[in-house]
Amino acid sequence: MRRNVASTLAVLSLVLLLGGCSGLNAITQRFLSQDPPPADYVAQEDGFRYLKSCLPPQTQYIYDQLLAGIQAQAEEITGLYPDVDMIRTAAQALGRDYPELFWFSGSGEIETTYLGETATEALYRPVYVVGPQERSALQAQIDQWAANCFATLPEGASDYDKVLGVYRYIIDHADYQSVESNSILNIMVHGAGLCGCYAQTTQYLLTKLGIPCAYISGQANGESHAWNLIWLDGNPCWLDTTWGDPVFEGGNANDGPSYDYFCITTRDLLRTHSIDDTVPVPDCTVEDYNYFRYHGLYFDTYQPDALAQVIQQAVDQGDATISLRFSTGAYWNACDHLFTQGELHDLFRQTPAGQAERIDWRGQLWYTRNDDMGTLTLTIPYR
């Protein structure tokens, strides 16, 4: 070690003699500056982390450095390559890839050290929402909430059934309310949250069930919004749990989930949403997992007899409502017949339940419609 120091001092002395102060600064910067992350870095694998997979190798290197520090809840993560944009990008991706890091707010401060005008290294100070001493108790509550959710899934559930079960459970056990962060704590411990909380909770639960799921942000109805991108049998589709909660649209929690945005295509999503360009996303084109198509509730034409049949099935199951979706042309035709021409009463009357007077088809009938998505939800008028 003493020889290394002597050699370094000798080099510095030689540079000073030959090149003056400018030469000394150059050699000092060489010894003190962080080396760039390796361009051929192979990232650590830890399950499905979509945003990480979209980053270049050098940013993935910083991502892994940040991850190790945040998992340990370090106050400062030091020795980072001083590229502020790279650190910020890695931290944002990590916050969206790891909903289980509920103690991490998803943000932090970056401090860069300079030698003259040259940045030599950086450190990151994560912002934490809970302290290390609280994590164990909160994790126990999260684990119990997840266990309660998974207990509602049918035995031998398919991946589709798992997504549907998680979707329904979150909507049944969460209220749409303003909160300060997107942490899963808001829903899984406190029972309420905004769209980011719904999206992170969905991601957390589906990831535990082995279903690839990513957190995606963008705009909806002119406001910032978050939802999920999932893969079923290798096919990507969009899932917006927040917009499935009737409370979000000002409805009653007893109305039950809306399925208008359950496993939809990109073409359908873009009717109401726009996707941020911060991360590339696939074009979702497979319609097989759309709720209405999957359950035989999608119609290309207005067919009163077929509609009466699915209404009767809903009555036999004791459902309070039934939701239907139509192709664009069929939707407006159905609205004209059912509402403008008043055929909704006839539709309920021709069901076996209507004939048996199990439902009050003569009274006032309630429905909601989503013109953007071509869906109708009918309230079944039980006696």
Side-chain angles (χ1 to χ4, degrees), residues 22-60:
S22 61
L24 178 60
N25 285 339
I27 198 68
T28 304
Q29 290 168 6
R30 176 186 169 191
F31 279 102
L32 296 181
S33 297
Q34 286 287 329
D35 290 331
D40 59 350
Y41 178 68
V42 178
Q44 300 173 18
E45 292 188 10
D46 185 23
F48 182 82
R49 311 294 174 182
Y50 181 70
L51 272 70
K52 181 180 184 179
S53 71
C54 298
L55 299 175
Q58 289 184 307
T59 309
Q60 291 185 4

Side-chain angles (χ1 to χ4, degrees), residues 73-351:
Q73 205 155 350
E75 293 185 6
E76 294 183 349
I77 303 169
T78 60
L80 301 175
Y81 182 67
D83 186 313
V84 172
D85 289 339
M86 198 180 291
I87 296 171
R88 186 180 294 115
T89 299
Q92 183 182 52
L94 191 154
R96 295 186 174 190
D97 274 346
Y98 277 86
E100 61 265 45
L101 299 178
F102 59 85
W103 54 90
F104 175 48
S105 70
S107 63
E109 299 177 352
I110 303 171
E111 182 178 303
T112 306
T113 300
Y114 285 85
L115 178 62
E117 296 182 357
T118 302
T120 57
E121 69 171 345
L123 65 82
Y124 185 74
R125 293 191 184 92
V127 175
Y128 298 117
V129 294
V130 296
Q133 66 280 5
E134 302 172 76
R135 278 172 50 179
S136 179
L138 290 171
Q139 185 66 63
Q141 293 182 63
I142 290 170
D143 291 344
Q144 186 59 58
W145 203 95
N148 292 342
C149 172
F150 298 157
T152 67
L153 302 177
E155 185 176 353
S158 66
D159 283 353
Y160 176 90
D161 291 332
K162 292 174 184 177
V163 175
L164 183 61
V166 165
Y167 180 85
R168 286 172 168 168
Y169 192 88
I170 292 173
I171 290 170
D172 288 344
H173 292 81
D175 289 325
Y176 184 80
Q177 293 180 12
S178 180
V179 292
E180 294 183 357
S181 73
N182 287 332
S183 171
I184 60 174
L185 290 175
N186 291 308
I187 286 180
M188 302 184 77
V189 174
H190 305 301
L194 292 173
C195 58
C197 306
Y198 280 74
Q200 285 226 322
T201 303
T202 301
Q203 179 187 17
Y204 177 78
L205 295 169
L206 292 185
T207 299
K208 278 193 165 296
L209 291 171
I211 297 170
C213 180
Y215 179 106
I216 302 294
S217 62
Q219 300 280 317
N221 288 343
E223 298 182 355
S224 296
H225 190 50
W227 60 95
N228 297 104
L229 175 64
I230 69 170
W231 281 259
L232 288 170
D233 298 325
N235 298 298
C237 51
W238 299 104
L239 182 72
D240 192 336
T241 312
T242 307
W243 278 31
D245 193 333
V247 177
F248 173 76
E249 294 288 351
N252 191 301
N254 295 326
D255 292 342
S258 164
Y259 300 102
D260 294 0
Y261 298 88
F262 184 89
C263 294
I264 60 175
T265 63
T266 299
R267 182 181 60 185
D268 285 340
L269 181 79
L270 295 181
R271 299 183 187 197
T272 51
H273 295 48
S274 61
I275 308 166
D276 285 347
D277 59 3
T278 53
V279 60
V281 296
D283 184 14
C284 305
T285 59
V286 175
E287 298 181 310
D288 297 356
Y289 305 100
N290 177 265
Y291 176 83
F292 299 97
R293 291 181 180 273
Y294 194 92
H295 295 278
L297 300 171
Y298 183 89
F299 298 89
D300 284 313
T301 59
Y302 174 62
Q303 307 171 51
D305 292 343
L307 294 177
Q309 182 177 353
V310 297
I311 289 173
Q312 182 61 45
Q313 291 173 354
V315 171
D316 292 341
Q317 295 169 181
D319 298 335
T321 62
I322 182 169
S323 294
L324 312 165
R325 185 177 178 188
F326 300 84
S327 62
T328 301
Y331 174 74
W332 295 110
N333 189 33
C335 288
D336 177 59
H337 279 274
L338 295 174
F339 311 130
T340 305
Q341 300 182 38
E343 294 181 12
L344 182 59
H345 289 79
D346 294 335
L347 186 63
F348 279 110
R349 178 180 58 82
Q350 74 181 79
T351 65

